Amino acid sequence: MNPETALAPKAARPSADGSHRASERVREILSWYSSDNPGTKANIARLLNHGTLAGTGKLVILPVDQGFEHGPARSFAPNPAAYDPRFHFELAIEAGCNAYAAPLGFLEAGAAEFAGEIPLILKANNHDVLHDEKDPLSAVTGSVHEALRLGCAAIGFTIYPGSANSTRMYEQIQAIAEEAKRNGLAVVVWSYPRGSGISKAGETAIDVVAYASQIAAQLGAHFLKVKLPTEHIEQDEARKVYEKCAIPIGTLAERVRHVVQSSFDGRRIVIFSGGAKKDNDEEVLNEARAIRDGGGFGSIIGRNSFQRKKPEALKLLRSIIAIYSGAAR
Amino acid sequence: MNPETALAPKAARPSADGSHRASERVREILSWYSSDNPGTKANIARLLNHGTLAGTGKLVILPVDQGFEHGPARSFAPNPAAYDPRFHFELAIEAGCNAYAAPLGFLEAGAAEFAGEIPLILKANNHDVLHDEKDPLSAVTGSVHEALRLGCAAIGFTIYPGSANSTRMYEQIQAIAEEAKRNGLAVVVWSYPRGSGISKAGETAIDVVAYASQIAAQLGAHFLKVKLPTEHIEQDEARKVYEKCAIPIGTLAERVRHVVQSSFDGRRIVIFSGGAKKDNDEEVLNEARAIRDGGGFGSIIGRNSFQRKKPEALKLLRSIIAIYSGAAR
Amino acid sequence: MNPETALAPKAARPSADGSHRASERVREILSWYSSDNPGTKANIARLLNHGTLAGTGKLVILPVDQGFEHGPARSFAPNPAAYDPRFHFELAIEAGCNAYAAPLGFLEAGAAEFAGEIPLILKANNHDVLHDEKDPLSAVTGSVHEALRLGCAAIGFTIYPGSANSTRMYEQIQAIAEEAKRNGLAVVVWSYPRGSGISKAGETAIDVVAYASQIAAQLGAHFLKVKLPTEHIEQDEARKVYEKCAIPIGTLAERVRHVVQSSFDGRRIVIFSGGAKKDNDEEVLNEARAIRDGGGFGSIIGRNSFQRKKPEALKLLRSIIAIYSGAAR
Amino acid sequence: MNPETALAPKAARPSADGSHRASERVREILSWYSSDNPGTKANIARLLNHGTLAGTGKLVILPVDQGFEHGPARSFAPNPAAYDPRFHFELAIEAGCNAYAAPLGFLEAGAAEFAGEIPLILKANNHDVLHDEKDPLSAVTGSVHEALRLGCAAIGFTIYPGSANSTRMYEQIQAIAEEAKRNGLAVVVWSYPRGSGISKAGETAIDVVAYASQIAAQLGAHFLKVKLPTEHIEQDEARKVYEKCAIPIGTLAERVRHVVQSSFDGRRIVIFSGGAKKDNDEEVLNEARAIRDGGGFGSIIGRNSFQRKKPEALKLLRSIIAIYSGAAR
Amino acid sequence: MNPETALAPKAARPSADGSHRASERVREILSWYSSDNPGTKANIARLLNHGTLAGTGKLVILPVDQGFEHGPARSFAPNPAAYDPRFHFELAIEAGCNAYAAPLGFLEAGAAEFAGEIPLILKANNHDVLHDEKDPLSAVTGSVHEALRLGCAAIGFTIYPGSANSTRMYEQIQAIAEEAKRNGLAVVVWSYPRGSGISKAGETAIDVVAYASQIAAQLGAHFLKVKLPTEHIEQDEARKVYEKCAIPIGTLAERVRHVVQSSFDGRRIVIFSGGAKKDNDEEVLNEARAIRDGGGFGSIIGRNSFQRKKPEALKLLRSIIAIYSGAAR
């Protein structure tokens, strides 16, 4: 073996020349996480180096917590194959996703069978809609120990800025993230503003989404997941600044760019969720294009993928991935 | 001894040829729990391999927590022999049940005397009716340590989805289930929707019961216990899906099938409770037939058994067991 | 020494023949606690084998927590000698009681001086009347460590079924009882229904007291302490059963018998409190006769003893003990 | 050295004959704490054997938590030298006090400089008046670890019987006192009735103060600190007993005697606080005389001392000490 | 090397003669913290011995928690370079600040890259404005472990005296400060009165600010951070004292002096925050002059620095530093 070749950092993995070094982009991204231990860095790299987008610095993640969040019929009846937890492992693997995220039960139902085939993210808190409340609070339903036992690369956690219960959730993620990092896991935070502090429109307002990404970043998340923002501005104090500084937020790509900037000037991996199921595929693809054009790091696509028959779901996911990989416009 | 015979996986235990391998069905079921350690797998198998239904993959469990939940007179005065904790051990054993579930005190009162004669489930939280509340919360009255001390195969826990206190209960079962699994115990979750989030009729609505089974499964339970569902649909958002997808819920067997599907497409053991005491035995047996026909894994029969004199209780339990074993229609 | 004699289980300790084996009755009672470790069994036996009633299976216990519960003047001014914590140790010892129960401070003030002279029960939670509340909650004022440090045989704990705070108290006693049993202590639960869930009359209603004893037993208590019940029935659902099953509750002895039955069919030691101070001794003695005739295990006599001058207190306690021992009718 | 002399228990330390044995009175007092380990006994003795009153069984303690409780200007502006934490160490030492009690910050600011010069009591919970509330709750601001680190002899803790938060405070002191005793510290409880359970006049009512001292004693405190009581009786149930038993409470000395009796018949060290700053020194001295005449163990003098210039503060403290020592009437 | 020179305590570090001993002033300040272990003393010294003001006993600290507290656009849009976490490290280092304080995320984003270049303070609790509340409570978002992992010199914590949640915050800082000191870290407390206990004007009232500094000092903080006080007096009881004692509070310098006096007579390091962004630089500089003239220990300048382009920010910070160093008036 030629040690020179073996050590040369050249391209994405697997690269044309057979090198197994991470790509330059991945190494650049890892450099933003210089405070983390090698275990956590390796798990961040696992997520970046898996699937079709390996090495590009972009990610498409399959999240399936809707069974818990909305109930099984609303989640899986449109595509009954999705009642089976193995469906989602297979979908994520076959589509070439970077990772698969789900609550404890769904991961337990496939982690051994698909061991090593796709990086897993244990969604460690969850919420159901059988009890409505103005100020939501997710229940902690997983743990770092469970994530390690199941071979996960990361722990996922939802916070609801704007909820009267936000303090409790911030303190929960503080403790879990600290333990995760000590054990070499990566941390993914879903930051979804909701609750009595903000209006319904405010949940996706550009100022609120940018704020939500900032909070998740300050809490120490490696990966931030937020909703695609609208042009609406929720907070009066914020509106003054957006107007005075003329922050461009007219197009979706501009808003994505602002959120990425609000995430430590792009030095944190921020990905966007597709939201409710769309009837029109082109709408979903356009969102991916805007995320790409705005400098976002990728998409997390749940209902829009697993609520279709697998061939259609694969087609959509691959189209999205192609947008991020540059294989398609 | 012929090693070939000894190793051949042929039939239920005890099998005709004397093999002690688990049946194919039991091994199939165990394959769904591939993330669990051998200790937990062995305890799941203990529950499946005990009693008349051993090896069939079906279960009939005797639960006796009514003394705590409704008070002693309401529970045991109809059959005073049942005041004695030993009655229930004997009933479960003589009827050929798979397991006996009860709170700490009842188990302590017989665990040594009947050691090894029937798998035990420590019901680790309980609730009484001396203080009424809109949003119920069971008190944690047992622990993994106590279950291990008493030689139990599993820990049982009730959650009330729909209660304002559901978050607390989900977090309690998260911690207890994690500890149970680490110690090789199985986890049984009673998932009984109740509370200010849903109507009285909603407690057994088909959408709500299916949701309750999904939540228990996502929380990592090995055995799910839910109530038999009605045709009622509680949630507006769910109704749209049931109608659009034309989910068949017209007969009890269809509803059972939908709940089983909602439990990881049948890859979790879901059993059904008989509910309030029935005057008519045939009604109870018909429920068992519907559970069987819908692909359910069995029944948990409390008040309908122990509130009768033992011969009658044995007769009913054995009739139910015969339905599941195929010995009766 | 004749080993045959030494091993023969014949009579109460100390027995006529000098044997130190426990009596048959004590060994029978211990057999009900077969799940407990030898340490706990030995401490249950210590309580049963001490004082005039040693070996009979009956108990008279002196409890003195009124200083905390009602204040010092209301408790001790009628007999100022009782301000001194040593008074109560001496009274319990001289009267031939089985045990003395008190809060931390009172036990600390005599545990060394009277070490080994009488079994002690640390009353580990307490309540005062300086702040009135609808739903009482005792404060945890002792611990298993403190009980062990002071050489106690048991830990005592009060629960208030019917209080909105009952869940918290059940969870506290779960944790304390588990720790106590692990450390070889016995567990005594005072189960006193109170709170917004029940009426004033309901606190001593026969259905409620029977329920209270059942709850304490299911929580794993070795000794249950309840109030003497009245004929009143509090809960509508319970009344139906009492009437339908024609449960005899007309006399105090019948009600005691029902409570004993409700305590695992008599397989848990249930003792009764005398309640408020009586002017008429005969009333107190009649209560003891009813407890004895109903199969109760004894009395816990506080204010009716220590609020008298010592000679009178000794006279009353000894009269009660004589009723239980069979020395008097 | 003559071992006979060395061992002879003769007098207060330092005694006339040079013996270093504790005085008979101190050894008598220590005998009340026979359940404590030698470490705690030694720290109780340190408090009793320090300062002008060493060996007499009487104590005068300087407490300075007013900076936290009322703010710095209200506490120290009348005597600006008192802003400096060293002032209070010096005042307590020079006046010949038995001990100095203060919150964490004040002790940290002098514990090293004055190490070994006066026993210290870490006031481990505190309260400020910037947020008014009906039911006060002090924040835990110190710990046993901090007390040990700073070389304290005791931990101090305030409870507010009568507050809706009293349960929480009782449970906090239970935990802290247990840890303190295990580590050989003494425990001082400030028992100050306040809150929605009692009236303003009730805070110093004789029945309430006696009750407060009883609660602190039952919680296991070695030193009890209460306010000087008035003739007012707060609780109806208590009034009946005070009248029926004709408890003498007409003079301050009689009331002190009743409180001492209520503190385990005088077998716990109970000291009294001077309360608000008095304009008239004679009033303060009269209070000390009443405490002495009623059998109280001493005074805790805060604002009445440190809010004066040091010479005047020393004069007052020494006058009070002289009353207790017998050097003055 | 001449040991005489090496040991001679002469001047600020780095001193003219090349000695590395701390300055006399620094050693004087360290003498106030005589209860702390060498680790904590060394970290206090690190803060005092870094930057332009090294050795003078004065500090200018850059705090950047506004991203969390007010959102990213309101914080960084006026100077978009500040979105990048590295900007603040560089600004603090280039300006010659003593330290840089920020939440977990911001520190993680530069702690490795700028390791050893400036002392760091982990702001361990944070608050956002997406949910408004009358009684604020910051969420604990950092820990001592995280501070140690990131190489911080100190942990920072905000309390809100006057909030109904103040008890909880005091107990949190008690636990964190104890752990920090045990691990050799310094403790910085931001004491910002807010909440239902006080009026808006009261938040900066002189009596309230002085009280806030006293509370932080009593809680054991090494560094206290308060707002510049106004002449307003909030509390009636306090007003009487300010008037009776004629405490001079007419000028800002007088008020600073009073706050310093209220901080253990100047024996705790108390620094002042500049508050909202000023349009007029001279206003900021005048505040620094008043702090200096009143004996304050320095400024903590956030928005007034990082919301400008770096050259302007550096200019302002250096002007402030010059005022404290004596290089400017």
Side-chain angles (χ1 to χ4, degrees), chain B residues 128-158:
Chain B
D128 69 78
V129 295
L130 287 173
H131 187 270
D132 251 338
E133 72 279 276
K134 208 174 48 184
D135 284 297
L137 169 69
S138 287
V140 176
T141 58
S143 72
V144 169
H145 170 82
E146 295 292 42
L148 293 168
R149 173 171 74 86
L150 297 173
C152 297
I155 197 128
F157 197 90
T158 297

CSV table of all heavy atoms in Angstrom, one decimal, chain B residues 128-158:
chain,number,residue,atom,x,y,z
B,128,ASP,N,-56.5,4.5,42.6
B,128,ASP,CA,-57.7,4.2,43.4
B,128,ASP,C,-58.8,5.2,43.0
B,128,ASP,O,-58.5,6.3,42.4
B,128,ASP,CB,-57.4,4.1,44.9
B,128,ASP,CG,-57.1,5.5,45.5
B,128,ASP,OD1,-58.1,6.2,45.7
B,128,ASP,OD2,-55.9,5.8,45.7
B,129,VAL,N,-60.0,4.9,43.5
B,129,VAL,CA,-61.1,5.8,43.1
B,129,VAL,C,-61.6,6.6,44.3
B,129,VAL,O,-62.7,7.2,44.3
B,129,VAL,CB,-62.3,5.0,42.5
B,129,VAL,CG1,-61.9,4.4,41.2
B,129,VAL,CG2,-62.8,4.0,43.5
B,130,LEU,N,-60.8,6.7,45.4
B,130,LEU,CA,-61.2,7.5,46.5
B,130,LEU,C,-61.0,9.0,46.3
B,130,LEU,O,-61.6,9.8,46.9
B,130,LEU,CB,-60.4,7.1,47.8
B,130,LEU,CG,-60.9,5.7,48.4
B,130,LEU,CD1,-60.0,5.3,49.5
B,130,LEU,CD2,-62.3,5.8,48.9
B,131,HIS,N,-60.2,9.3,45.3
B,131,HIS,CA,-60.1,10.7,44.9
B,131,HIS,C,-60.3,10.8,43.4
B,131,HIS,O,-59.5,10.3,42.6
B,131,HIS,CB,-58.8,11.3,45.2
B,131,HIS,CG,-58.8,12.8,45.0
B,131,HIS,ND1,-58.4,13.3,43.8
B,131,HIS,CD2,-59.1,13.9,45.7
B,131,HIS,CE1,-58.5,14.7,43.8
B,131,HIS,NE2,-59.0,15.0,45.0
B,132,ASP,N,-61.5,11.3,43.0
B,132,ASP,CA,-61.8,11.4,41.6
B,132,ASP,C,-61.1,12.6,40.9
B,132,ASP,O,-60.9,13.6,41.5
B,132,ASP,CB,-63.3,11.7,41.5
B,132,ASP,CG,-64.0,10.4,40.9
B,132,ASP,OD1,-63.3,9.6,40.3
B,132,ASP,OD2,-65.2,10.3,41.1
B,133,GLU,N,-60.7,12.4,39.7
B,133,GLU,CA,-60.0,13.5,39.0
B,133,GLU,C,-60.3,13.3,37.5
B,133,GLU,O,-60.5,12.2,37.0
B,133,GLU,CB,-58.5,13.5,39.3
B,133,GLU,CG,-57.7,12.4,38.6
B,133,GLU,CD,-57.8,11.1,39.4
B,133,GLU,OE1,-57.0,10.9,40.3
B,133,GLU,OE2,-58.6,10.2,39.0
B,134,LYS,N,-60.3,14.5,36.9
B,134,LYS,CA,-60.6,14.5,35.4
B,134,LYS,C,-59.4,13.9,34.7
B,134,LYS,O,-59.7,13.2,33.6
B,134,LYS,CB,-60.8,16.0,35.0
B,134,LYS,CG,-61.6,16.2,33.9
B,134,LYS,CD,-61.8,17.8,33.7
B,134,LYS,CE,-60.4,18.5,33.8
B,134,LYS,NZ,-60.5,19.9,33.7
B,135,ASP,N,-58.3,14.1,35.1
B,135,ASP,CA,-57.1,13.7,34.4
B,135,ASP,C,-56.3,12.7,35.3
B,135,ASP,O,-55.4,13.1,36.1
B,135,ASP,CB,-56.2,14.9,34.0
B,135,ASP,CG,-56.8,15.7,32.9
B,135,ASP,OD1,-56.9,15.1,31.8
B,135,ASP,OD2,-57.2,16.8,33.1
B,136,PRO,N,-56.6,11.4,35.1
B,136,PRO,CA,-56.0,10.4,36.0
B,136,PRO,C,-54.5,10.3,35.9
B,136,PRO,O,-53.9,10.5,34.8
B,136,PRO,CB,-56.7,9.1,35.6
B,136,PRO,CG,-57.1,9.3,34.2
B,136,PRO,CD,-57.4,10.8,34.0
B,137,LEU,N,-53.9,9.9,37.0
B,137,LEU,CA,-52.5,9.6,37.1
B,137,LEU,C,-52.3,8.5,38.1
B,137,LEU,O,-52.7,8.6,39.2
B,137,LEU,CB,-51.7,10.9,37.6
B,137,LEU,CG,-50.3,10.7,38.0
B,137,LEU,CD1,-49.4,10.4,36.8
B,137,LEU,CD2,-49.7,11.9,38.7
B,138,SER,N,-51.7,7.4,37.6
B,138,SER,CA,-51.5,6.3,38.5
B,138,SER,C,-50.2,6.6,39.3
B,138,SER,O,-49.3,7.2,38.8
B,138,SER,CB,-51.3,5.0,37.7
B,138,SER,OG,-52.6,4.6,37.2
B,139,ALA,N,-50.2,6.1,40.5
B,139,ALA,CA,-49.0,6.2,41.4
B,139,ALA,C,-48.1,5.0,41.1
B,139,ALA,O,-48.6,3.9,40.9
B,139,ALA,CB,-49.4,6.2,42.8
B,140,VAL,N,-46.8,5.3,41.0
B,140,VAL,CA,-45.8,4.2,40.9
B,140,VAL,C,-45.7,3.5,42.2
B,140,VAL,O,-45.3,4.1,43.2
B,140,VAL,CB,-44.5,4.8,40.4
B,140,VAL,CG1,-43.4,3.7,40.3
B,140,VAL,CG2,-44.6,5.5,39.1
B,141,THR,N,-46.1,2.2,42.2
B,141,THR,CA,-46.2,1.5,43.5
B,141,THR,C,-45.3,0.2,43.4
B,141,THR,O,-45.3,-0.5,44.4
B,141,THR,CB,-47.7,1.0,43.7
B,141,THR,OG1,-48.1,0.2,42.6
B,141,THR,CG2,-48.6,2.2,43.8
B,142,GLY,N,-44.6,0.1,42.4
B,142,GLY,CA,-43.6,-1.0,42.2
B,142,GLY,C,-42.4,-0.6,41.5
B,142,GLY,O,-42.3,0.6,41.2
B,143,SER,N,-41.4,-1.5,41.3
B,143,SER,CA,-40.2,-1.1,40.7
B,143,SER,C,-39.5,-2.3,40.1
B,143,SER,O,-39.9,-3.4,40.4
B,143,SER,CB,-39.2,-0.5,41.7
B,143,SER,OG,-38.7,-1.5,42.6
B,144,VAL,N,-38.6,-2.0,39.2
B,144,VAL,CA,-37.8,-3.2,38.6
B,144,VAL,C,-37.1,-4.0,39.7
B,144,VAL,O,-37.1,-5.2,39.6
B,144,VAL,CB,-36.8,-2.6,37.6
B,144,VAL,CG1,-35.9,-3.7,37.1
B,144,VAL,CG2,-37.6,-2.0,36.4
B,145,HIS,N,-36.6,-3.3,40.7
B,145,HIS,CA,-35.9,-4.1,41.8
B,145,HIS,C,-36.9,-5.0,42.4
B,145,HIS,O,-36.6,-6.2,42.7
B,145,HIS,CB,-35.3,-3.1,42.8
B,145,HIS,CG,-34.9,-3.8,44.0
B,145,HIS,ND1,-33.6,-4.4,44.1
B,145,HIS,CD2,-35.5,-4.1,45.2
B,145,HIS,CE1,-33.5,-5.0,45.3
B,145,HIS,NE2,-34.6,-4.8,46.0
B,146,GLU,N,-38.1,-4.5,42.7
B,146,GLU,CA,-39.1,-5.4,43.4
B,146,GLU,C,-39.5,-6.5,42.4
B,146,GLU,O,-39.7,-7.7,42.9
B,146,GLU,CB,-40.4,-4.6,43.7
B,146,GLU,CG,-40.1,-3.5,44.8
B,146,GLU,CD,-39.8,-4.0,46.2
B,146,GLU,OE1,-39.0,-5.0,46.3
B,146,GLU,OE2,-40.3,-3.4,47.1
B,147,ALA,N,-39.7,-6.3,41.1
B,147,ALA,CA,-40.0,-7.3,40.2
B,147,ALA,C,-38.9,-8.4,40.2
B,147,ALA,O,-39.2,-9.6,40.2
B,147,ALA,CB,-40.2,-6.7,38.8
B,148,LEU,N,-37.7,-8.0,40.2
B,148,LEU,CA,-36.6,-9.0,40.2
B,148,LEU,C,-36.6,-9.8,41.5
B,148,LEU,O,-36.4,-11.0,41.5
B,148,LEU,CB,-35.3,-8.3,40.0
B,148,LEU,CG,-35.0,-7.6,38.6
B,148,LEU,CD1,-33.8,-6.7,38.7
B,148,LEU,CD2,-34.9,-8.7,37.6
B,149,ARG,N,-36.8,-9.1,42.6
B,149,ARG,CA,-36.8,-9.7,43.9
B,149,ARG,C,-37.9,-10.8,44.0
B,149,ARG,O,-37.7,-11.8,44.6
B,149,ARG,CB,-37.0,-8.7,45.0
B,149,ARG,CG,-37.2,-9.2,46.4
B,149,ARG,CD,-37.2,-8.1,47.5
B,149,ARG,NE,-38.4,-7.3,47.5
B,149,ARG,CZ,-39.5,-7.6,48.2
B,149,ARG,NH1,-39.6,-8.7,48.9
B,149,ARG,NH2,-40.5,-6.7,48.2
B,150,LEU,N,-39.0,-10.5,43.3
B,150,LEU,CA,-40.1,-11.5,43.4
B,150,LEU,C,-40.1,-12.5,42.3
B,150,LEU,O,-41.1,-13.3,42.1
B,150,LEU,CB,-41.5,-10.7,43.4
B,150,LEU,CG,-41.6,-9.7,44.6
B,150,LEU,CD1,-42.9,-8.9,44.5
B,150,LEU,CD2,-41.7,-10.5,45.9
B,151,GLY,N,-39.1,-12.5,41.5
B,151,GLY,CA,-39.0,-13.5,40.4
B,151,GLY,C,-39.9,-13.3,39.3
B,151,GLY,O,-40.3,-14.2,38.6
B,152,CYS,N,-40.3,-12.0,39.0
B,152,CYS,CA,-41.3,-11.8,37.9
B,152,CYS,C,-40.6,-11.9,36.6
B,152,CYS,O,-39.4,-11.7,36.4
B,152,CYS,CB,-41.8,-10.3,38.1
B,152,CYS,SG,-42.8,-10.1,39.6
B,153,ALA,N,-41.4,-12.2,35.6
B,153,ALA,CA,-41.0,-12.2,34.2
B,153,ALA,C,-41.1,-10.9,33.5
B,153,ALA,O,-40.4,-10.6,32.5
B,153,ALA,CB,-41.8,-13.3,33.4
B,154,ALA,N,-42.0,-10.1,34.0
B,154,ALA,CA,-42.2,-8.8,33.4
B,154,ALA,C,-42.7,-7.8,34.4
B,154,ALA,O,-43.2,-8.1,35.5
B,154,ALA,CB,-43.3,-9.0,32.3
B,155,ILE,N,-42.6,-6.5,33.9
B,155,ILE,CA,-43.2,-5.4,34.7
B,155,ILE,C,-44.3,-4.9,33.9
B,155,ILE,O,-44.3,-4.8,32.6
B,155,ILE,CB,-42.1,-4.3,34.9
B,155,ILE,CG1,-42.5,-3.4,36.0
B,155,ILE,CG2,-41.7,-3.6,33.6
B,155,ILE,CD1,-41.5,-3.2,37.1
B,156,GLY,N,-45.4,-4.5,34.6
B,156,GLY,CA,-46.6,-4.0,33.9
B,156,GLY,C,-46.8,-2.5,34.3
B,156,GLY,O,-46.5,-2.1,35.4
B,157,PHE,N,-47.3,-1.7,33.4
B,157,PHE,CA,-47.5,-0.3,33.7
B,157,PHE,C,-48.6,0.2,32.9
B,157,PHE,O,-48.8,-0.1,31.7
B,157,PHE,CB,-46.2,0.4,33.2
B,157,PHE,CG,-46.0,1.8,33.8
B,157,PHE,CD1,-45.4,2.0,35.0
B,157,PHE,CD2,-46.5,2.9,33.2
B,157,PHE,CE1,-45.2,3.2,35.6
B,157,PHE,CE2,-46.4,4.2,33.7
B,157,PHE,CZ,-45.7,4.3,34.9
B,158,THR,N,-49.5,1.1,33.5
B,158,THR,CA,-50.6,1.7,32.9
B,158,THR,C,-50.3,3.1,32.4
B,158,THR,O,-49.7,3.9,33.2
B,158,THR,CB,-51.8,1.7,33.8
B,158,THR,OG1,-52.2,0.4,34.2
B,158,THR,CG2,-53.0,2.4,33.2
